[in-house]
Amino acid sequence: MKYSPAKTLILFFIGLIAVGMVLLSLPATSNSVVGHSFFNNLFTCVSAVCVTGLSIVNIGEYYSKFGQIIILLLVQISGMGYMFVSTVLTLLLGKIALKDRRIMQEMFEVSSFNGLKKLLLKAVLFVLGIEFIGAVSLTVVFLRDFSFLKSVYLGIFYSVMAFCNAGFSVFNNSMTSFSQNPIVLYIISILILLGGLGFFVIVDIYDYYKEKRLHLSIHTKVVLFMSLIITVCAFIVFLFSKAAGGHGIFYLINNSFFEAISSRTAGFCSVPVNLFNEFTESVIILLMSIGAAPGSTAGGVKVTTLALVFIFVKSVLVGDEDYVLFKRSIPFDLIKKALVIFIIFFALIFLFSAVVILHEDNLRPIAVVFEVVSALATVGMSLGITEELSLASKIYIIIAMLVGRIGILTLFILMLEPGCKKKNVKYPEGRILVG
């Protein structure tokens, strides 16, 4: 059978979901007063593996500490991603498949496999180091309100969830209990930002300052620029919305910044979602659709895809045949990939939204679209309708989460595979009217 990286990727996530289901079905994972539910475990497991955070139960009440730790591990393993997990395991064995080498070298633009190994190992160490620092910082803050052991547990839990951009919370109101605690909000915001930048952007920035390199890679520049622009615009929107108002200027600034960061990728809420008006909900839908950077723990079309789409539109409008970013010419094949991902993603939003709306005529259409985008972009933010959805709609949400986590990645990897042989037949040019 012909080797397929796409199939390997799918099997990795399906296998992780299967293992998670087995573990979450153990009696020790559930609070005895609640009991087990196969579908609740399935939904939670898929959401954890897809680093989404949507849930039809309160995991702080439904699952025991052991069950919550299983969810935490599923998020961590999946957040590290297929490339990390497969590479680390094979490095321990001392060998890796040649085709895997080629795929990862193409993805990460590393000229040699030894360079790739060093890059991946450095990235893994950075991830664990950032999560450790985040856990220690949050533990110190939580000590004001909780016991030492619970503070350590919460520190680890929220550090991993924030960096992996998964919106799971053991509190039934997400992060609204900490809306007036700026230290918690900013620590989690920083972790979300770092997780959304991507492992290799972090390593590139570190190498730039540590090794005093002449310049950052074009990928890092685009990610940083787009992330900055989107974050500033989102912050301004939340700042002038009424969602975080009524508690003073500092409360408004702190929570507007937190929501500007979290709503794009992580799904944590520091203000009640019922305070969002439809304009704010529409902006969040757009932010979730954009997502963060490739190689990160977040979903969406990715900021680099959006940048390439903008460059393409600009070039068409001004009649320029070159696609330039930061004084670098971008190959047209990357532009085509970006356009394909962009179109497919928004087509999937329309498809899933239409199907769920057909089953949920009692819910606001914008709330359904919000839920679908949150699932497809693996964000995890909800307007509170997840538990109200019918069984059929919950299944569609599960599929959307899987497609969001596996589908776009699979498409990207399939594009790296050698294409079919070009046909020798060339047809005459035809013209049709557009616009």
Side-chain angles (χ1 to χ4, degrees):
M1 183 180 294
K2 187 178 179 180
Y3 173 82
S4 171
K7 290 180 181 177
T8 305
L9 182 64
I10 292 172
L11 289 174
F12 168 75
F13 285 111
I14 291 177
L16 194 56
I17 291 171
V19 172
M21 279 295 297
V22 171
L23 294 175
L24 286 181
S25 298
L26 297 174
T29 63
S30 177
N31 289 322
S32 58
V33 295
V34 180
H36 278 290
S37 168
F38 174 84
F39 190 80
N40 289 346
N41 287 343
L42 175 64
F43 194 99
T44 303
C45 192
V46 172
S47 184
V49 171
C50 296
V51 290
T52 305
L54 286 175
S55 181
I56 54 179
V57 296
N58 182 344
I59 67 168
E61 297 175 357
Y62 189 86
Y63 293 103
S64 65
K65 284 292 187 293
F66 179 64
Q68 294 168 24
I69 291 172
I70 296 301
I71 295 171
L72 179 69
L73 291 174
L74 290 175
V75 169
Q76 178 73 93
I77 294 171
S78 182
M80 297 286 279
Y82 163 76
M83 291 299 180
F84 273 174
V85 175
S86 62
T87 303
V88 170
L89 289 177
T90 47
L91 286 175
L92 293 176
L93 297 174
K95 57 182 179 180
I96 189 169
L98 289 173
K99 293 181 179 179
D100 271 335
R101 298 186 188 188
R102 177 180 53 78
I103 293 167
M104 288 185 286
Q105 285 174 222
E106 286 187 50
M107 286 186 69
F108 306 131
E109 297 181 351
V110 179
S111 59
S112 68
F113 184 61
N114 286 332
L116 177 65
K117 288 197 294 184
K118 292 179 181 178
L119 178 64
L120 287 170
L121 287 175
K122 186 184 292 185
V124 170
L125 292 175
F126 268 95
V127 169
L128 297 178
I130 290 170
E131 289 181 344
F132 175 77
I133 295 172
V136 171
S137 302
L138 288 172
T139 297
V140 172
V141 180
F142 288 143
L143 281 172
R144 299 177 182 177
D145 302 307
F146 305 102
S147 66
F148 176 75
L149 290 179
K150 187 169 184 179
S151 296
V152 171
Y153 172 72
L154 291 175
I156 295 172
F157 186 91
Y158 281 102
S159 180
V160 172
M161 292 300 170
F163 186 83
C164 291
N165 285 211
F168 282 109
S169 176
V170 295
F171 303 114
N172 58 11
N173 56 4
S174 189
M175 301 301 294
T176 56
S177 299
F178 301 96
S179 61
Q180 300 196 47
N181 190 329
I183 299 177
V184 171
L185 295 182
Y186 282 107
I187 290 174
I188 291 181
S189 295
I190 291 170
L191 288 169
I192 294 171
L193 271 174
L194 292 174
L197 288 178
F199 312 117
F200 303 100
V201 170
I202 296 172
V203 173
D204 190 35
I205 294 173
Y206 173 81
D207 289 342
Y208 172 75
Y209 287 102
K210 183 71 175 179
E211 301 177 6
K212 301 189 183 300
R213 283 168 28 196
L214 293 177
H215 55 78
L216 294 168
S217 68
I218 179 67
H219 171 78
T220 298
K221 290 179 181 179
V222 173
V223 169
L224 292 177
F225 177 77
M226 292 296 294
S227 298
L228 176 62
I229 294 297
I230 294 168
T231 300
V232 170
C233 292
F235 172 70
I236 293 173
V237 170
F238 281 105
L239 196 62
F240 288 97
S241 71
K242 297 180 180 179
H247 295 277
I249 185 63
F250 292 109
Y251 178 94
L252 177 63
I253 292 173
N254 296 336
N255 286 276
S256 295
F257 179 78
F258 182 84
E259 292 297 337
I261 298 296
S262 179
S263 62
R264 183 159 58 97
T265 59
F268 290 117
C269 285
S270 64
V271 295
V273 293
N274 60 355
L275 296 180
F276 295 154
N277 55 33
E278 290 195 349
F279 172 74
T280 307
E281 292 169 357
S282 301
V283 171
I284 294 174
I285 288 173
L286 178 61
L287 291 173
M288 292 191 296
S289 300
I290 295 171
S296 73
T297 52
V301 297
K302 304 296 189 298
V303 293
T304 50
T305 299
L306 185 64
L308 294 182
V309 171
F310 280 155
I311 291 301
F312 174 76
V313 172
K314 172 181 173 293
S315 297
V316 171
L317 291 177
V318 301
D320 193 351
E321 295 184 358
D322 293 325
Y323 309 100
V324 180
L325 269 175
F326 293 101
K327 298 182 180 180
R328 293 290 186 274
S329 180
I330 307 300
F332 185 62
D333 65 316
L334 290 181
I335 301 292
K336 288 192 293 184
K337 290 175 185 177
L339 290 171
V340 169
I341 291 173
F342 189 84
I343 293 170
I344 289 178
F345 186 85
F346 283 96
L348 288 172
I349 289 177
F350 174 82
L351 176 63
F352 279 108
S353 297
V355 172
V356 176
I357 287 173
L358 285 175
H359 288 81
E360 309 296 337
D361 53 4
N362 60 319
L363 296 175
R364 292 187 304 141
I366 192 171
V368 173
V369 175
F370 193 104
E371 195 82 7
V372 166
V373 174
S374 180
L376 195 59
T378 67
V379 175
M381 184 174 282
S382 174
L383 295 179
I385 69 169
T386 313
E387 296 181 31
E388 301 176 24
L389 296 175
S390 64
L391 179 62
S393 294
K394 289 175 182 175
I395 292 174
Y396 292 133
I397 293 297
I398 287 176
I399 296 172
M401 288 190 289
L402 288 169
V403 170
R405 183 61 176 162
I406 297 175
I408 303 299
L409 288 174
T410 303
L411 176 63
F412 182 69
I413 291 176
L414 285 174
M415 288 176 177
L416 295 176
E417 288 290 276
C420 299
K421 292 183 178 179
K422 293 184 178 180
K423 296 179 181 180
N424 294 323
V425 179
K426 188 171 183 180
Y427 295 100
E429 187 179 87
R431 291 281 180 174
I432 59 174
L433 297 177
V434 295

